[in-house]
Amino acid sequence: MYDIQKIRADFPILSRSVYGKPLIYFDNAATTQKPRCVVDSMMEEYYSVNANVHRGVHFLSQQATNLHEASRETVRQFINARSSSEIIFTRGTTESINLVASTFSDSQMKEGDEVIVSVMEHHSNIVPWQLQAERKGIVLKVIPMTDEGELLLSEYERLFSSRTKLVSVTHVSNVLGTVNPVKAIIDMAHAHNVPVLIDGAQSIPHLKVDVQAIDADFYVFSGHKIYGPTGVGVLYGKEKWLDKLPPYQGGGEMIKNVSFEKTTYNDLPFKFEAGTPDYIGTTALAEALKYVSAIGMDNIASYEKELTQYAMQRLREIPGMRLFGVTEGKGSVISFLVGNIHPFDMGTLLDRLGIAVRTGHHCAEPLMHRLGIEGTVRASFAVYNTKEEIDALVAGIERVSAMF
Ligand code: PLP
């Protein structure tokens, strides 16, 4: 049983109002709201455990270290990684991708070598590669898509050459909601002996992810999009790849011994974790993962699927509605335009009705160019949204349309 009232009660912010209207929060692809257990965990750890991790002999430091390392194990279980040394804590998806882009291109790529991305990537899976293109002369190749928002796998196959060194694609599009066939994408790359990075920012909160089952070489995500705190995220990497990559940043934690003559680096995962980690954040992230696990990722996926199908059907009833991303089995992200109402106007007027949506290019300008538009209005759903809220969105859009 999916107890929506109980879930909603776990999120204090959902009971507030904006402009005198009950809040309807449909900006979940940007960040999710936090359940009480996540915020309580941060407060409790600051109030009663706080101490720097790993280097202390004293009680608090050991307790904080145990919590931090237990969180790594919780992440490992959540994505079914083989070993917790394959779980690197970062600041989020963006930092995880930058880490791989920088260290992979430094150690595995030469001028003229190629990385394949897709046309529907978030800027954080484009610009880090472009920085390497500027620095080292690596080349970006782009998987095209259909008008509906499906990647063209036959075109993808044609992009491989003897210079292809890595594929880096998103699992779920943050604009179209397309769920990409990552297993097929990875299998095709592996047939060319090319490793794959999957951007899991928009999949991890909504789908059960098993990094071993899909055989991802790298998988990255942000804590704040899965009901966890801001400023903490994950880079999963297969040990065989992480061992090949040089450290990303230098400092404490990532070393074994330091002298002015020679410094040796720490073992995984610490080799990639220079400086004091956000140990309060990692404990809270683990709380968030336990929270969604208790609801059940399969239950979440089927509840959100029902919401998405309902919303797509209701939105299609609105005259002048243009939906972007109409693929089979799409995730809970819906992008749209109505007539020639500017997305900013639509978003601003919906906001006055208490409905929070996102407007603009959603950090995916190349995708906007492909679609021939400047931006969309985006409604994205999470565990606590309801069909009644979708009805309010539809009524709101109709009201705004009537004004134009
Ligand atoms: N990748 C995708 C697909 C996203 O949707 C986002 C955020 O919207 C990111 C990467 C970047 O995530 P963060 O800003 O948490 O690093």
Side-chain angles (χ1 to χ4, degrees):
M1 265 299 289
Y2 195 89
D3 190 344
I4 184 68
Q5 289 316 325
K6 182 169 173 296
I7 290 171
R8 287 184 68 82
D10 291 333
F11 292 82
I13 207 169
L14 297 179
S15 54
R16 71 161 290 178
S17 53
V18 290
Y19 304 114
K21 308 276 188 328
L23 170 70
I24 296 181
Y25 186 77
F26 281 154
D27 195 17
N28 295 289
T31 199
T32 50
Q33 299 304 343
K34 314 306 167 199
R36 206 180 293 275
C37 63
V38 166
V39 181
D40 284 354
S41 136
M42 300 181 85
M43 237 164 45
E44 278 160 23
E45 192 170 350
Y46 270 127
Y47 283 150
S48 59
V49 184
N50 183 48
N52 208 333
V53 292
H54 292 143
R55 290 177 296 269
V57 290
H58 62 82
F59 185 88
L60 289 185
S61 176
Q62 290 187 10
Q63 203 175 358
T65 302
N66 291 344
L67 283 170
H68 182 61
E69 291 308 320
S71 305
R72 200 186 301 278
E73 172 59 19
T74 302
V75 174
R76 184 201 70 73
Q77 284 176 20
F78 192 72
I79 60 171
N80 192 33
R82 199 181 51 77
S83 154
S84 62
S85 60
E86 298 178 319
I87 306 296
I88 315 292
F89 285 122
T90 64
R91 285 196 300 119
T93 306
T94 303
E95 189 176 64
S96 299
I97 298 176
N98 275 278
L99 188 161
V100 176
S102 172
T103 59
F104 192 93
S105 81
D106 274 352
S107 61
Q108 313 293 318
M109 297 183 79
K110 297 192 197 63
E111 189 180 343
D113 282 347
E114 297 160 1
V115 173
I116 298 177
V117 297
S118 88
V119 68
M120 64 176 77
E121 297 310 315
H122 188 279
H123 293 164
S124 63
N125 195 23
I126 298 174
V127 185
W129 306 110
Q130 288 177 328
L131 292 176
Q132 297 309 318
E134 277 174 28
R135 265 188 60 205
K136 278 199 84 156
I138 70 160
V139 177
L140 245 73
K141 294 221 174 153
V142 183
I143 313 171
M145 67 173 204
T146 63
D147 290 341
E148 288 73 31
E150 194 173 326
L151 290 182
L152 287 161
L153 293 193
S154 51
E155 299 292 323
Y156 165 56
E157 175 69 56
R158 274 205 277 277
L159 296 179
F160 284 92
S161 78
S162 59
R163 305 300 303 266
T164 311
K165 291 293 184 293
L166 189 78
V167 173
S168 189
V169 292
T170 194
H171 194 166
V172 173
S173 160
N174 69 313
V175 176
L176 307 167
T178 308
V179 181
N180 288 319
V182 286
K183 180 76 174 90
I185 289 171
I186 292 169
D187 286 349
M188 280 163 79
H190 285 176
H192 294 271
N193 282 323
V194 172
V196 182
L197 181 151
I198 300 293
D199 174 352
Q202 297 295 342
S203 46
I204 203 84
H206 308 291
L207 307 171
K208 198 181 192 116
V209 169
D210 181 330
V211 292
Q212 291 191 83
I214 59 174
D215 205 15
D217 299 281
F218 302 100
Y219 197 97
V220 301
F221 66 92
S222 300
H224 70 96
K225 292 189 199 280
I226 183 164
Y227 315 102
T230 54
V232 62
V234 170
L235 159 64
Y236 158 80
K238 280 184 188 163
E239 205 168 311
K240 74 167 183 188
W241 282 111
L242 293 177
D243 274 339
K244 283 189 188 134
L245 304 183
Y248 180 48
Q249 294 180 329
E253 299 267 354
M254 53 74 72
I255 49 87
K256 260 197 184 125
N257 296 103
V258 178
S259 73
F260 283 112
E261 289 70 39
K262 181 162 176 59
T263 288
T264 52
Y265 305 130
N266 209 338
D267 298 327
L268 291 175
F270 309 111
K271 180 173 95 175
F272 292 105
E273 294 182 351
T276 299
D278 184 357
Y279 52 86
I280 303 284
T282 56
T283 310
L285 171 60
E287 264 323 301
L289 300 184
K290 287 178 202 159
Y291 179 79
V292 289
S293 299
I295 301 173
M297 287 312 294
D298 289 336
N299 293 333
I300 290 173
S302 63
Y303 179 75
E304 291 179 349
K305 185 175 178 188
E306 200 181 310
L307 280 185
T308 306
Q309 285 176 348
Y310 180 73
M312 289 293 279
Q313 176 214 321
R314 293 281 346 257
L315 290 168
R316 281 198 170 99
E317 292 163 9
I318 298 172
M321 172 61 65
R322 284 169 72 197
L323 291 160
F324 299 91
V326 287
T327 50
E328 197 62 29
K330 69 176 259 153
S332 57
V333 179
I334 300 183
S335 273
F336 63 89
L337 290 171
V338 184
N340 47 21
I341 304 171
H342 195 279
F344 183 76
D345 293 334
M346 178 64 82
T348 307
L349 292 166
L350 287 174
D351 181 48
R352 289 285 161 167
L353 302 172
I355 305 171
V357 291
R358 188 149 290 251
T359 63
H361 56 58
H362 315 296
C363 296
E365 282 192 65
L367 175 59
M368 295 300 131
H369 300 155
R370 164 63 180 84
L371 296 168
I373 54 179
E374 276 176 29
T376 71
V377 184
R378 181 183 74 183
S380 50
F381 311 133
V383 287
Y384 37 66
N385 290 125
T386 64
K387 286 186 180 167
E388 291 71 33
E389 290 179 318
I390 290 168
D391 290 337
L393 171 70
V394 171
I397 296 169
E398 282 168 341
R399 202 164 143 191
V400 174
S401 299
M403 290 165 65
F404 277 83

